[in-house]
Structures are given as structure tokens and as C-alpha cells.
Amino acid sequence: MEKRKVIIDTDPGIDDTYAIVAALSYKGFDVLGITVVAGNVGLDNCVVNALGVVNLMNADCFVYPGAQTSLNQLDNFETYDLKTSVHGEGGLGSVTLTPDFSKRSETHAVDFILETVKENPGEVEIITLGPLTNIALAIRKDKETMKKVKKIWSMGGGVRFGNRTPVAEFNYWADPEAAKETYALGEDIEINMIGLDVTQQTRFTLDDLFFLQTECGELGALLSEMSNHYTKIYWDSLRITGVVVHDLVAVMLAIDPSLSNEDDIFNRVNLSIEHEGMCRGQTVVQLSPNGMYEDAGPKNANVYMGIDNTAFRKAFIKLCFPKAYPMYIKYIL
Ligand code: RIB
Ligand code: CA
């Protein structure tokens, strides 16, 4: 089977790390490069974290630094109060990875994306795990080339609720103009929105984290340790025991969309993004399959609204820790 050509755009980030590990573990992906955008923490920190994951996985792809501020420059991600980041000051909870600086490219993320798509028209899938600034900058620089992207899988948005505000999810809230300009391309290319409605249906339980810690080697222990930073936040904010690994859901669905029932995938619907005011970053989606709403515009997105959580957890363990999988099935599930 020919490998799928993939670029990962990310702001690592604890859940980004799970997602990158899964994407690099999947034999059906040829991860051509990892482009970085500021988001969870500042750009430099995100780049170091991405270099750490590439080193941890002994991956042969390069890391391409990208945008460190949102499109309209109003929110310089570097100025985020890092101590309040959900992902901790360094972006990976209490974990520090060893970066392989030899894998840091001097090519800007936007130029890498455009060059790669130009060389592989109609073949490159982009999985976005952070704010969409790099994608929007690429569209602004060369829209015709970006129309040759095969598809985009984007962790972001939320139809029924938000997490950065009551109505907006962090990635699209952080740079709503970029999200708006990205989805404007949705009439020309397939964009799959993997929002909170689906990610928050998944849960790695405390038993899952214990299993990662004790039965999945150094990699599992690192992922579990990173997540420990999260558990208190999820309990305090949502009374959830365990963690929601949002970005991993986007990668696992890109690998296998059948983790979602067909009737939980709303294909070719209209999605618009509020980009200012109290509802900044809100994704307004015309989900009605029967056109109940006034048809508000172009069909520019496929929106995932559900997933089989047990199948998702099993697929991740089977992909990344196959030797431990039988024990996981027997004692944890
Ligand atoms: O809202 C969840 C998203 O925001 C994830 O990508 C997480 O890494 C944060 O960036
Ligand atoms: Ca992220």
C-alpha cells in the first residue's frame, strides 16, 4: 500500500505529542515534515518540544518553525502567561525532552508547506493540531498551490461548546482570522473539522495512564507523566477523571475515519467562524441534514460529531504499544 504523504502542523503541547507519536508510528503515513506554530506556548518552546519528539521517536523528518503571532498580530503568542498554560510552562507538563537540533530546518513552515504541495500536487494531507496561522499564511502567499492540498484534518472548533470561551475552542480562538481564511478554501479542498464535540467524547482514564506508565516502556511513561499535569486541570475544570487528548483524536481519525459512525460525520456542510467580539473563534455550523436552517453559504467542511471512545483507545494502544495490547485488552478495557 502506498504511504500517505502527511505534514503535521502543531503547537506541542501535551496532546500534540501523543498525536505526533501516533502519526510517526503509523506505517501508512510518510510524515514529510513537522511545521510548528505558536499556541500552547511560545514558538521557540514549541519548536524545541517538536525537536524533542522527533528525537524521542528517532524520526527522519525535519521541524520547520512557523508563525509566532496570530495573523492580525494582536495576540503575540510569546506573550502568553506561560505559567497559566494548560500545558505547563515548558509545554509538556513536567516533562523535558532532549531536542535534536540537527533536525531544525532553516526553511520557514509556510515555505515548506508550499514547496511540498507544489512537488506533490493532490497528494499531501495536512493534519493541523494548533492555531491555523501557518495554513492561512500559505494560502495568502500562494492560494493556487494550496488548492492542490489533498485534504486537511484540523483539530479545532466546537459546534455545541468551547473550551477557551463558552463558545470557542482554543486553536480557532487563538487565531480566528486564520481559521476563517483556511475554511474559505473549503470549497476547493476537503477540510475535516475534528472539534470538541468529538474529541471530548474520548477519555484516557486514570487506568489508561497507569497502564502507559507501567507497561508501555519509556515512551509510555513519558506520555503518562506529561498527562499527569493535565489530570488536576480536567478534574478542577470539568470534573473529569482522566484526560482528553484532543489532537490525538484528529490523527486517529485521519488514520481511520471509521472510528466514527457514518451518521456522526456531517459531510459538506457550511462552517463559518466568528472572528471578533465576545464570540471570537466560534464555529457556526449548519449541521441540519435536511436543510432546516436557512442555507447560509458554501459547503466548506466535513464536521465530525462523534467517535467510539473504546475503539479509539484500543486503536492508539495497538498502534503505539502493540506488545502491550493483549494485556491492555485483558486488564484495562
Ligand atoms: O482545544 C484543544 C487544542 O488546543 C489542542 O490542540 C491543544 O493542544 C490546544 O492547542
Ligand atoms: Ca495543539
Side-chain angles (χ1 to χ4, degrees):
M1 172 181 76
E2 197 171 321
K3 290 193 174 215
R4 292 162 60 182
K5 293 174 177 159
V6 170
I7 292 173
I8 299 171
D9 191 69
T10 178
D11 62 333
I14 296 170
D15 57 335
D16 301 71
T17 301
Y18 277 75
I20 297 167
V21 164
L24 292 172
S25 301
Y26 178 53
K27 298 287 180 278
F29 279 172
D30 176 9
V31 178
L32 302 176
I34 295 174
T35 52
V36 181
V37 61
N40 284 317
V41 288
L43 179 70
D44 291 346
N45 232 335
C46 287
V47 170
V48 165
N49 291 338
L51 290 168
V53 181
V54 163
N55 194 18
L56 183 67
M57 298 298 287
N58 194 28
D60 63 4
C61 64
F62 280 80
V63 170
Y64 301 83
Q68 65 177 1
T69 62
S70 56
L71 279 191
N72 66 15
Q73 312 280 327
L74 288 184
D75 300 289
N76 179 330
F77 300 133
E78 296 290 356
T79 60
Y80 278 0
D81 174 355
L82 303 186
K83 288 189 180 44
T84 59
S85 169
V86 169
H87 299 255
E89 196 171 336
L92 300 180
S94 61
V95 169
T96 303
L97 298 178
T98 306
D100 175 358
F101 286 104
S102 72
K103 292 290 177 56
R104 187 188 189 285
S105 172
E106 291 308 310
T107 302
H108 189 278
V110 172
D111 296 326
F112 171 73
I113 290 169
L114 290 172
E115 287 162 16
T116 306
V117 174
K118 256 188 212 140
E119 288 161 15
N120 304 276
E123 296 180 53
V124 177
E125 297 177 60
I126 304 177
I127 302 177
T128 75
L129 308 174
L132 289 168
T133 317
N134 288 337
I135 309 306
L137 287 171
I139 293 168
R140 285 186 176 185
K141 190 164 186 178
D142 184 347
K143 187 172 185 178
E144 289 314 304
T145 294
M146 288 301 282
K147 286 181 180 178
K148 296 170 184 158
V149 168
K150 182 174 184 181
K151 60 180 79 173
I152 292 176
W153 301 86
S154 179
M155 192 282 131
V159 179
R160 307 262 191 252
F161 55 92
N163 61 0
R164 182 63 184 73
T165 75
V167 295
E169 176 278 328
F170 173 77
N171 287 336
Y172 292 3
W173 171 89
D175 196 341
E177 285 78 8
K180 191 178 174 74
E181 293 183 24
T182 299
Y183 277 93
L185 200 67
E187 284 190 86
D188 301 294
I189 68 169
E190 180 183 326
I191 303 181
N192 299 283
M193 182 186 116
I194 314 295
L196 296 176
D197 311 274
V198 61
T199 63
Q200 217 137 287
Q201 289 182 27
T202 69
R203 188 88 76 254
F204 276 134
T205 66
L206 296 178
D207 287 352
D208 289 330
L209 298 182
F210 169 80
F211 187 78
L212 283 172
Q213 180 76 39
T214 55
E215 299 299 340
C216 297
E218 183 207 352
L219 176 59
L222 279 169
L223 294 175
S224 179
E225 186 184 342
M226 283 181 203
S227 308
N228 289 336
H229 173 83
Y230 259 162
T231 49
K232 184 80 172 54
I233 293 168
Y234 273 101
W235 173 249
D236 289 346
S237 60
L238 296 170
R239 286 292 179 253
I240 285 176
T241 55
V243 293
V244 178
V245 190
H246 299 279
D247 292 334
L248 179 62
V249 180
V251 166
M252 296 310 290
L253 282 171
I255 291 171
D256 180 9
S258 73
L259 291 173
S260 292
N261 297 323
E262 273 189 24
D263 56 10
D264 279 334
I265 305 170
F266 292 76
N267 288 312
R268 306 311 297 157
V269 294
N270 171 254
L271 179 154
S272 52
I273 313 254
E274 183 51 66
H275 64 284
E276 56 194 354
M278 186 172 67
C279 296
R280 161 191 166 159
Q282 181 175 14
T283 43
V284 180
V285 182
Q286 310 286 339
L287 275 187
S288 160
N290 309 312
M292 178 173 74
Y293 306 122
E294 186 66 30
D295 186 355
K299 312 299 184 200
N300 58 334
N302 298 333
V303 176
Y304 281 66
M305 293 296 287
I307 190 169
D308 178 333
N309 181 40
T310 300
F312 161 74
R313 291 158 65 205
K314 286 167 66 176
F316 170 68
I317 298 291
K318 191 171 186 179
L319 171 63
C320 297
F321 307 104
K323 291 196 180 104
Y325 181 66
M327 187 187 281
Y328 180 75
I329 297 296
K330 185 171 181 180
Y331 294 106
I332 301 296
L333 274 191

